[in-house]
Amino acid sequence: MKSYTKYLLLAIFFLPKISGGYHIIGGEMYYTCTGSNNYKVTLKIYRDCSNFQAASFDDPAFITVYDATGLPVQNLSVPFPGSTTVQPDLSNPCLEVPPGICVEQGVYEFTVNLPPSNGGYDIVYQRCCRNSTIVNIIAPDNTGATYTAHIPDGSLAVCNSSPRFSNYPPIVICSGTPLIFDHSATDPDGDQLKYSMCTPSQGATQIIPQPNPPPPPPYIPIIWAPPYSLNNQVGGIPPMSVDSLTGLLTANPVSLGQYVVGICVTEYRNGVFLSKNVRDFQFNVTTCNPTIIADFNSFNAITIGDTLLLCGETTITFDNLSYGSSSFYWDFGVPGISTDVSSLQNPTYTYPDTGIYKVMLVAAPGLQCGDTTYKYVKLRMGVITDFGFLNQCAGVPIQFTDQSVALDGILTLWQWTFGDGGSSVQQSPSHSYASSGNYNVTLTAVTSDGCSESTIKQVTVYEIPQVNAAPDTFICDIDSVQLHASDGMIYSWQPDYNISSLNSQNPIVGPDVTTVYSVTVISSNGCKNIDSVTIQVTDTVIATVSGDTIVCEGQLVQLHAEGAVYYLWSPDDYLNNAAISDPVSKPLSNVTYFIDSYIGSCLDEDTISITVLALPSADAGPDVTINQGEITQLNASGGITYLWKPPYALSDQGIFNPMASPLSSTTYSVTVTGDNVCSAIDSVTVIVTHIHEILAPNAFTPNGDGKNDFFQFFTRGIAKITSIQIFDRWGEIIYRAENNEAPPWGGKYMDKDCEIETYVYVIKGITYDGNMIQKAGPLTLIR
């Protein structure tokens, strides 16, 4: 035991960081001897995967083999092989699995070589912890589990294989419902097996949830929470028990919750104990409310409340809409017989005659949680739907005549759709179509039993002729004119007044007074339409034109004449069209136009004169280039008044020679107006260069001779001087000014003449672009 304590302390010292929360819910360990002292060991671990915060399976799992004295023989790190989800047993149709139930199984397999040893070996794995919601043990969230497999002394059995359970218990069981489960095991060696209830062992804690290595036997059993115990693990009367010979597990759970359960299988050979396999697992006891609902419909019937209506046939195919069951019992409700039944899910049944039958469906027959429902099947002969009509022209009502026949019952409803968006519920309606074409008309006839049938027929609507009689016109009273109509087979004109033919498509008329002629056109389909034309008659034409006008050269003039039908202007110089009443002229010199105005043989003439004034010779002057910040004078000529655009950086828009000082290149246009009020436009571009310079001398002679007595500098493209400084050769400032408005430096410091030597000037300023500029250099003082 001392050696284990030392080993455990060492393991704790080097224990990796592992999450304490695991939610282990069961497991077992067994082995198979494969010969030559080799044993294939299987460790099955089950975890609760419903909580995303639960720790994953161990990777690796730390497993230790101890000899009979408690000393470790082998320490194993078995890698995680992956997991599978254990599905709940849904064979009980009355069971409704509650949400959040999730179980994963991890199966670790490894091989160890263990020569025969006195007392045998114990293979051990431990892990913490269990679900905190378990109700039948004390402190479940700090209670781990120990899974062991014992290899017996070689004197008792050579190359022994341990028993292993055949089936995993159901994850969810029903409260108030007896549980009967085959919990038997098999043994590869055929040894005698005995089953019993047992208390699972604790193992590991939240502080050390994954011991490496796990400690040797013995192990502390879990502590049952009263009133639960070894022989009363889940409650109920009689309490849960297992048949010692068959492994048949029975229980009568009554309280909801999660329960730890322990079952043992012990192997004996010739009455000698060899090993014990302890499986612990978790039962989830829930309320098994009936979740089975019986319901059905039909694939080929009309559903009206709880009645399935079938018209014109006696064979019905049922659509099973039941929930929660895969077994069914049908009774199709035919009186006097017992063969009208089925256990199919979706049966088809042929009834002997029309009538009303009460159909029964039982879902999960024979079970307490099963469900039964009833519906009626109503069989009727139905209806034959038909209607008649005559094709018509667009706009002319079509009379539809119902010809439907009810085979049983009476007709109670007619539903018409006319194919153009229109509809009706009259038995024999009329309907007109606005446009020609083919339209699908549908009639649905419904009987008093609810049977209905639809039929579709195509209606042809003929096009109304597009007459297009000639447009209204003027004629002279001594003239005649030909009329025109189209799109017909038969034409009929009215009135019979000075017309060449009343039935001609294109007759000639010569009325001496204004007359309206109408024509009726009939197409090949018998469709008719009417149009008319007005012939206005006059015996004179009085031409009216716009008056004489004066325009500047190049200006557009809108001419206008009225009082006739046809017009002809001459000459056609500068005109856009000489044969219309309102041509546009753009004369370059004086011009007189003659206008002939006609209505047939009636004619009138008139004239209009246009005087064209010369444009002034506008001149804005040549383009000019300045440095940014400089001013230039513009100079225009050729007129009396001037207007410059844009006004940007101009001293005056309305003079011929404004001053311009743009900060960027700008094109100015000037409108020059002469003494005849005609105007012309010219433009000039002021090109602005972005030169920024401070020009300063490198010497000056402050000797009072009036020449070069002061340090003076010049700028180009500089908006403002911000600082002027003069330094002696020792770096001392001997002159300072904030701008170039201050008196210039005259070679003095503190009212005394400075010595003849070289000084340094620093001049700072801001350009018109808003940038800082600086100029520095030597300055020699000479007297």
Side-chain angles (χ1 to χ4, degrees), residues 566-570 578-581 594-598 606:
Y566 304 102
Y567 303 88
L568 183 62
W569 298 80
S570 63
I580 61 176
S581 63
F594 296 87
I595 175 66
D596 290 333
S597 302
Y598 301 88
D606 204 350

Side-chain angles (χ1 to χ4, degrees), residues 337-349:
I337 64 173
S338 59
T339 58
D340 58 334
V341 295
S342 175
S343 60
L344 297 178
Q345 181 173 352
N346 297 301
T348 298
Y349 186 74

Side-chain angles (χ1 to χ4, degrees), residues 28-30 163-165 263-266 275-279:
E28 65 174 309
M29 184 186 295
Y30 57 86
R164 67 284 320 262
F165 291 101
I263 302 295
C264 293
V265 57
T266 307
S275 70
K276 178 187 291 185
N277 183 354
V278 181
R279 172 194 267 179

Side-chain angles (χ1 to χ4, degrees), residues 373-421:
T373 189
Y374 297 88
K375 287 188 178 181
Y376 294 93
V377 171
K378 186 177 182 180
L379 306 180
R380 287 293 182 261
M381 296 177 64
V383 59
I384 298 175
T385 302
D386 194 11
F387 63 92
F389 62 92
L390 292 176
N391 294 329
Q392 292 288 359
C393 303
V396 177
I398 298 177
Q399 180 64 51
F400 294 95
T401 303
D402 172 48
Q403 299 172 346
S404 304
V405 177
L407 300 179
D408 49 14
I410 59 173
L411 294 175
T412 58
L413 179 63
W414 298 263
Q415 295 175 328
W416 297 83
T417 58
F418 299 114
D420 64 346

